[in-house]
Amino acid sequence: MKKYFPLLLIFAIFSCTNFNAYYNTFYNAKKLYKEASEMPRRDDGRANSNAIGKYNQVIKKCGIILTDYKDSKYADDALMLMGKAFYYKGRGYVQAIEKFEELIKFYPESEFYEEAHLFLAKSHYQMNKKTQAIEELKELLQKKEFKEIHPQILLTLAQYYKDDENYLQAEYYLNNIVNKFPKSDEFEQAFFNLGKLYWEEEKYQRSRDTFTELINSKVSKRTKLDARYYLALNQLELKNYDQALQESRELLKDEVDPANFPKIELLIARSLANLKKTEKAAELFQKIIDENKRSKVAAQAYFYWGEMHFQITHDYEAAIEKYNQVQNQDRNSEFVEKAVSKSSVASQIIQYYHPDRTLDIETLVDQQFKLAEFYLQNLQQPDSALVVYNDIIQRKELIGAELDSLQAQLDSLHLAHPFLTETISSDSTLTTVVADSSVILPEDSTEVYIDTLSFTLTQDSLNSLPADSVKIDSTTAASDSVARKNAVIDSLQTKFTELQNQISQKQKEYKIYQDICIPHANFLKVWIYDKVKHDSTTADSLTRYLEQNYPENKYTRACRQLLNNQKIEFGTEEEQQLNEYHQAMQHLEENYSKTIELLENIASDSTHRFYQKALYALGHIQYFIREDTLAAKPYWKQILAMEDSEWKDEVQKFFDGKKFIKEDRLQAIKEAMAAEQAASDSAKVMLDSTKTVVDSMNATAKNLSALQDSTKLYSDSVKIQKPDSINTLNPAIADTLGNSENNLPLPTTKPNQNE
């Protein structure tokens, strides 16, 4: 027996070591899983990147156990933990299903058997097999052996029905937990979810009653604080703003988690706004945004700030500004759709009722385009987008009607205006009024209803006043009459100017709708019909409408390019051709071969706006830069052959149609040299002085006094500048190619002038 004892000891030690190895591995896996589960999740409910990293480590460690210690008692634990790690990391549902099915098949006696069924159904739901998942969960509720997990199943079913907006079914399952399983772990969560469900159904008083009952139950402090938030929120929704403000402020004092401060502050800001304390509300909105940039709560703050301007201060331009920030803060915010929609409504209110706005019409219409884009891209509702585009198109007719109405008012006022001027400025009229002391002037005789453009002040009307009216001194009456008439004219003149300004503004709006908004909206309609609805007939019909009514518009060409499956190029034809020329010239310094290639494309199209300019530029590059007169000759000959080419004179300075100029120097250089010779005496003094300075600096560098004297000689003598012609090789080239559309550099070397 003694001889076997060492072997038994070794075996025992090995077994103990083996147990410790896989136990430690599993222990670490459970620890990592717990850490990942406690990490805050993203706004969409998914695990964040750090949590996903920990879940991956869990999966790896569980894999080690299932591979190296598959017969250990922790095998089913590892299998269940691995499946849950796949499930919660997101997008690992196929692997999760595989692990749960393995556990159900190979470990029917496992303590995780029931839970594996639950997570199997939940994984099917996440795989978009929703009907199958719900049926599986309902079947589990019918089995007594699954009674321990019934509260979990009920809570899961309630969540699924709520997500599907079947609030009645969700309420049924939550009430089941609250009433039948008050001692379950799910009771507290179910009770809280029930109060929140009523809030989402806008049953605010019932929600408040539920949360009040929850607070009075034996639940955690954390749950009570969360319930108090909804108590205050329900007060706000019930328009009990004073109570909402008070409860929010008290909650902020008691809250222990700083992460919840911003949403409570947001409640306070909203309460202040509804109590008309808008300045304090704005300060708090700004504080929330500054402290929580690019976050969910910042997006909410901007939305409710916009709501304050929209509903309370009626500053619709400020509302648009705030609404537009919602998506910038959180593009996945639930408030993005509301903000885009409200911004569009605000823009229409401004267009209809606020002619004195500061926002330009393009900005306002852009809000409607954003709404349509949101319907199309975010909600996949092309029909709703089409409705918005049609509203934009129809707005032009409304502007036209408004313009006609304003013009009619202006015409009526214009007819009355000369009469008023003549009545007041005529000496004979004033004499008549002063001389006739019997004229009776009632106090309201000069009343003018500006809105109706009614004016009936005439001499006959003054003479026909009631006989029993109070008479006043004739001089006073005349003076008072003139003053009152002048006030009337001033009022009419003000109205006249206002109408002129409104008409001018409406004319600008009409033109913008005509030239930009309507073609743009129609282009987007064509895109929807062609790419989304696959209705080529309607798309082609709309395109032909644009071609008939907006033939030169960039969106018209874009429609035809779209239907022809061509690359869509926005911009007018002239803009596109200018861009082509600029693109060609921008390569000149680094790669003139590329410039030649692109200019050749332009020069091959005689209808191109820059056809002649391209020919001239090609000749210029070949002659001055490449010094190849043979290559330059064909381009310039084409220009000389044209009767009315604006470039003919320029070409003839260097080429007469047969030969290039043969002087040793170009004319510009000759003129420069002649100018220099004419100033030779002065130039000689300048050059000699400069040479003296250089010689002196080289010979007496250590003698400061000599250096200063020579420098003085230089500065005194350099008074005659070289003629401007010395600095320019050819002014003609600079004039013709140095503008914004042509930036050809001047040649730096003299070309070969012999053909």
Side-chain angles (χ1 to χ4, degrees), residues 431-451:
T431 301
T432 303
V433 173
V434 173
D436 190 356
S437 60
S438 64
V439 173
I440 302 172
L441 185 64
E443 292 183 1
D444 60 351
S445 63
T446 57
E447 182 177 357
V448 178
Y449 297 93
I450 300 299
D451 290 339

Side-chain angles (χ1 to χ4, degrees), residues 103-152:
L103 190 146
I104 293 169
K105 180 177 180 181
F106 297 111
Y107 300 93
E109 302 300 324
S110 171
E111 62 180 305
F112 304 108
Y113 180 78
E114 292 82 3
E115 188 180 14
H117 279 85
L118 172 62
F119 272 89
L120 179 62
K122 291 171 72 172
S123 298
H124 286 149
Y125 188 88
Q126 296 298 335
M127 291 287 291
N128 210 29
K129 298 178 180 179
K130 297 183 178 181
T131 303
Q132 175 185 339
I134 290 174
E135 290 303 318
E136 289 174 356
L137 292 171
K138 287 182 177 179
E139 287 179 12
L140 296 179
L141 287 175
Q142 305 302 317
K143 297 179 180 180
K144 293 182 179 180
E145 60 268 31
F146 289 90
K147 187 174 182 179
E148 288 188 8
I149 65 167
H150 277 185
Q152 296 181 53

Side-chain angles (χ1 to χ4, degrees), residues 50 85 96 196 267 301 304 348 442 479 492 497 511 516 518 523 534 537 620 662 665 673 701 705-706 710 744:
N50 291 330
K196 189 176 178 181
L267 270 184
Y304 286 115
Q348 294 180 60
S479 177
L492 288 173
T497 303
K511 181 171 177 57
I516 300 174
I518 292 179
F523 166 75
H534 306 292
T537 302
H620 174 91
K662 293 188 177 183
R665 296 176 176 84
M673 294 298 291
S705 177
S710 62
L744 285 171

Side-chain angles (χ1 to χ4, degrees), residues 101-226:
E101 287 178 341
E102 287 179 10
L103 190 146
I104 293 169
K105 180 177 180 181
F106 297 111
Y107 300 93
E109 302 300 324
S110 171
E111 62 180 305
F112 304 108
Y113 180 78
E114 292 82 3
E115 188 180 14
H117 279 85
L118 172 62
F119 272 89
L120 179 62
K122 291 171 72 172
S123 298
H124 286 149
Y125 188 88
Q126 296 298 335
M127 291 287 291
N128 210 29
K129 298 178 180 179
K130 297 183 178 181
T131 303
Q132 175 185 339
I134 290 174
E135 290 303 318
E136 289 174 356
L137 292 171
K138 287 182 177 179
E139 287 179 12
L140 296 179
L141 287 175
Q142 305 302 317
K143 297 179 180 180
K144 293 182 179 180
E145 60 268 31
F146 289 90
K147 187 174 182 179
E148 288 188 8
I149 65 167
H150 277 185
Q152 296 181 53
I153 298 171
L154 291 168
L155 192 62
T156 302
L157 282 169
Q159 184 62 44
Y160 290 165
Y161 278 115
K162 187 188 83 68
D163 292 344
D164 200 36
E165 297 185 359
N166 189 337
Y167 298 116
L168 189 61
Q169 283 293 320
E171 183 181 337
Y172 167 77
Y173 287 113
L174 290 173
N175 273 315
N176 245 309
I177 300 172
V178 172
N179 297 325
K180 295 181 180 180
F181 301 93
K183 296 183 179 181
S184 68
D185 293 338
E186 289 71 33
F187 169 79
E188 191 170 315
Q189 185 64 54
F191 211 153
F192 185 88
N193 287 358
L194 184 61
K196 189 176 178 181
L197 180 69
Y198 290 138
W199 176 79
E200 291 183 9
E201 290 184 272
E202 299 182 2
K203 298 176 181 178
Y204 302 122
Q205 188 57 55
R206 193 169 182 183
S207 173
R208 183 172 170 79
D209 293 341
T210 302
F211 281 115
T212 301
E213 186 179 351
L214 175 62
I215 289 174
N216 295 326
S217 303
K218 293 182 179 181
V219 294
S220 66
K221 182 180 179 180
R222 178 68 266 159
T223 298
K224 288 185 178 182
L225 287 171
D226 291 340

